[in-house]
Amino acid sequence: MNLSFADDALSPARTGRSQDALLVASLLHLMSHYTAREAGEPPCVKLASVIERHLCALARLPEIDPVLRATCEQLTEKWAAVVDARLPPPAKTPLLARFMKGAWPGKAAVVAG
């Protein structure tokens, strides 16, 4: 049995291009969903995070065009900033931080006594 990759969609030359195109198409789809939301609806942090990861993956492809790589790297930083800005602040101070600041109610009595 002979396998011919000449017209096959799974040929090594087409697989790389297909992966690039698939990632770009996915990014366009995700970005359009991020911007298309109801009036007053806040942007989705999870979706922004997925966009950031897709951009990073696209930038890391070995055979990607240098201009596309540089663009993806720049956009990765922008989307990371969007994600960081949208993350909710921590609800409580961590246990160790409270201990170090002396926020324990019984700590003052132990130190004073």
Side-chain angles (χ1 to χ4, degrees):
M1 179 173 155
N2 258 345
L3 292 176
S4 172
F5 287 113
D7 294 326
D8 191 2
L10 297 177
S11 71
R14 289 198 50 157
T15 304
R17 257 188 287 149
S18 298
Q19 184 178 6
D20 299 355
L22 181 61
L23 275 171
V24 171
S26 297
L27 272 167
L28 292 172
H29 179 78
L30 291 168
M31 289 175 167
S32 66
H33 276 282
Y34 184 84
T35 58
R37 55 184 190 270
E38 299 293 322
E41 183 182 1
C44 180
V45 179
K46 289 181 182 180
L47 190 53
S49 179
V50 172
I51 291 169
E52 177 194 0
R53 286 195 309 261
H54 275 69
L55 284 165
C56 189
L58 189 57
R60 290 181 180 168
L61 290 176
E63 298 295 323
I64 197 164
D65 182 82
V67 173
L68 186 55
R69 173 176 282 118
T71 302
C72 288
E73 288 170 352
Q74 290 173 356
L75 289 173
T76 298
E77 293 175 15
K78 298 279 188 187
W79 281 95
V82 168
V83 171
D84 289 344
R86 301 271 186 239
L87 285 177
K92 290 186 175 181
T93 308
L95 181 63
L96 182 58
R98 288 194 311 242
F99 179 77
M100 298 301 287
K101 288 182 180 179
W104 290 95
K107 184 176 178 186
V110 173
V111 173

